[in-house]
Amino acid sequence: MDFNFTEEQLALKDTLRRFVRKEYSFEHRRQAMASRHGFDRDAWNTFAELGLLGLPLQESLGGLGGTAVDSMVVMEILGEALSLEPFLSSSLLCGSVLNAVPVTATLQELAAQMMTGRHIMALAHYEPGSRYDLAQVSTTATATAGDWVISGSKSVVLGAPNADTVIVSARTPGGVSLFLVDSRAPGLAMRPYATQDGLRAADLILERVTVPRQSLLAPEGDGLKLVEQALDTATAALCAEAVGIMDRLNQTTVEYLKTRKQFGTMIGKFQALQHRMAEMVVATEQARSMAIMAAIKVSSTERAERAAAISAAKAYVGNQARFVGQQAVQLHGGIGVTDELDVAHYFKRLTMIGHTFGDYDHHIARFAEAL
Amino acid sequence: MDINFTAEEEDFRSQIRAFIDANLPPSIARKVLDGRRLGSQDYVTWQRILAAHGWGAPAWPQQFGGTGWNAVQQYIFEEECADAGAPKQLPFGLKMVGPVIMAFGNQTQQDRFLPHIIDAGDWWCQGYSEPGSGSDLASLKTKAVRHGDHYVVNGQKTWTTLGQHADWIFCLVRTSTEVRAQEGISFLLIDMKTPGITVRPIIMVDGEPEVNEVWFDDVRVPVENLVGEENKGWTYAKFLLGHERTGIAGVGRSKRELKTLKAMAARQLVRGRPLMDDIRFRDRVAHVEMELMALEITNLRVISADRQRGRPGPEASILKIKGSEIQQQLAELKMQTLGHYALPRIEEGLEADWQGDPLMPDYPLQAPAATGTYYSNRKVSIYGGTNEIQKNIISQMILGL
């Protein structure tokens, strides 16, 4: 039993935290959000220099082969900073897919480009009618002479507007398969938008998008298994991000309780608010425990064990995050619901994390199935 | 004991419904029902339609141009309006400053102001809260100093809802610092066109400029715009806060939202079946519906008790707490129906004429407003006295703790 981070993890945490505190202020983030790409290219390049972008990629691809605990360390800090950069959607999610497929020279080249930050990827799996059900894939890929022809719709593809390559899942005779698709491929129409927490995403319509034979990633029919595993990895990371945000909200709210005065006294003297704040801390610590559990169990080779652990963590953390987010706003009063303060933005991100890769009901159902 | 409306009350409901069916512009109702942005003109249009029919002031006595309806009739009227998707009648004139002018204003003020609250000739806003005084309203600092036949007002108000459209603002101002905080406050009516007033929008969590900061820099206000007596403003403010309680629970609007929620959940699919048939989701809807059933009857009990007692009681705090929680839960469930479609922020989808996006054919027409409304609705447990303050009121006024 050892709940300590390694020296390397502590150093990474410290370096990254110093960087975001210095270079990624709330105002800086606001500007990045309003920019064309919706994130900060310079920060992204720094992530590359710090080795973050190679961390989730395995060594056979030229990556650093980091663990899920390493990712947890990174995501907590990115949560604190409300980072807009596509670390989750590109490096972690697509990185997890690439880690699990047979290594080729093409993939090694792609991975090298990802690590420098020059190449961004997105995973297009969910579809308009699928909700959070991974098995509902209507997009099809048909083999022709030397190509695959892909048609269908994909919804809420995180990071897609900035992606160079999109991993698209599609039904083939052998099951669900994954394809590498150039984001500028003819026939691929993209409807880009900002998300409710300031990230970028898009809906895609593919109309006879033609990709070469070798764009098929992994053996035909392995797609569902790969996507589920990648989403579980990303979900564990999301839990860590949520914990990072909850920590920040708790700090900010305690600070506010100590400074805001009403009825001639600081509002932190009111027992009702003290107890609420105490409950927020309890919720955060419980969530942290689940995020740790998720980071450890996501590497389990037993699919059922992994799925149960990740879903338990996502449902549980989601519920605690909902409580902490709502109460941080409530304890701030009116200014908690303004755009001006970071509190509202942390609250928005926590809310959207709750709806990303499956909501509470989806994950409690998946966990309950394993009981 | 009978929880049903009487035959006369049901007949009254039919009349109201028939009128709304015939007169509420469908384009405005559509905006309300789909959560699209309402323009100031939408509120004015509906208020004028009601005024033309003599229903502009449902809660006012007939001598001031009101309907003279009793509390149950007002309740039925609000419920029918909400169900049909009528814009909310703005409370600032009708429920806030109007009753104060009726009770404490002089004849000149009553003649000047009351008719234009009813016909929407004047748009009113509220100048109560200040940056440093939220729940502790009596600590307000905006100062009014008398110079001859004018008060000179300096200070800042905040959370002024829809103040960007306002012609007039009613303000609590400090006219004396010699006495206890509550005793040095006066109630002033201020023309928003007076030099020295600056209105600055506050962008809210959903990106909308719903509220404002209002700055007063040597603003000269004629003394005839003082309501009642100098330094008695706190009494009037308290009267105002306790006055209108039939609508505080928002039962009518929540019943409408529940209907919309069920319709949305029936159209969204989970593994090929309607979300509304999903047992987990269905239970969530059932929970909030039970809360709403209870609140509806509690609301009618409070109305009935107020009527017997002849004055409002502290039970209004129960309505505020439960009413706000239910509104928040309904907004959360609407967002949840959307699944991953809770994430996109489709800006143009908030406009009335948005008909959907050809590249997002399955994205529901009610979706663009859902997440923003959930965010924004966090305010309902904060404004008008936070739910924590409401619990203090219950502890002190009902329980004597």
Side-chain angles (χ1 to χ4, degrees), chain A residues 89 121-122 157-164 166 183 190 192 200-204:
Chain A
S89 58
M121 295 185 71
V157 181
L158 293 174
N162 292 311
D164 302 288
V166 183
S183 64
M190 199 179 284
R200 298 294 169 95
D203 275 27
L204 313 182

Side-chain angles (χ1 to χ4, degrees), chain B residues 227-276:
Chain B
V227 175
E229 293 174 50
E230 201 176 84
N231 296 334
K232 287 280 164 62
W234 186 249
T235 316
Y236 312 149
K238 271 198 349 206
F239 164 84
L240 185 161
L241 290 173
H243 182 76
E244 228 301 325
R245 294 302 193 194
T246 59
I248 194 175
V251 168
R253 281 195 307 284
S254 286
K255 283 171 87 170
R256 177 191 75 215
E257 289 301 297
L258 179 66
K259 236 196 248 184
T260 314
L261 166 67
K262 286 177 177 171
M264 286 171 77
R267 284 194 298 270
Q268 292 292 315
L269 300 179
V270 182
R271 295 190 165 92
R273 289 172 49 80
L275 176 61
M276 201 52 209

Side-chain angles (χ1 to χ4, degrees), chain B residues 61-118:
Chain B
Q62 284 173 324
Q63 65 174 116
F64 293 114
T67 57
W69 288 337
N70 65 36
V72 174
Q73 289 172 310
Q74 293 168 39
Y75 177 85
I76 291 170
F77 175 76
E78 283 200 19
E79 183 167 278
E80 287 301 317
C81 285
D83 186 63
K88 203 167 124 175
Q89 281 184 281
L90 292 177
F92 316 110
L94 285 171
K95 294 186 175 178
M96 296 177 175
V97 74
V100 170
I101 293 175
M102 279 183 249
F104 307 105
N106 57 38
Q107 186 72 43
T108 313
Q109 289 167 338
Q110 290 173 353
D111 294 345
R112 160 65 186 88
F113 293 112
L114 298 180
H116 298 305
I117 290 175
I118 297 178

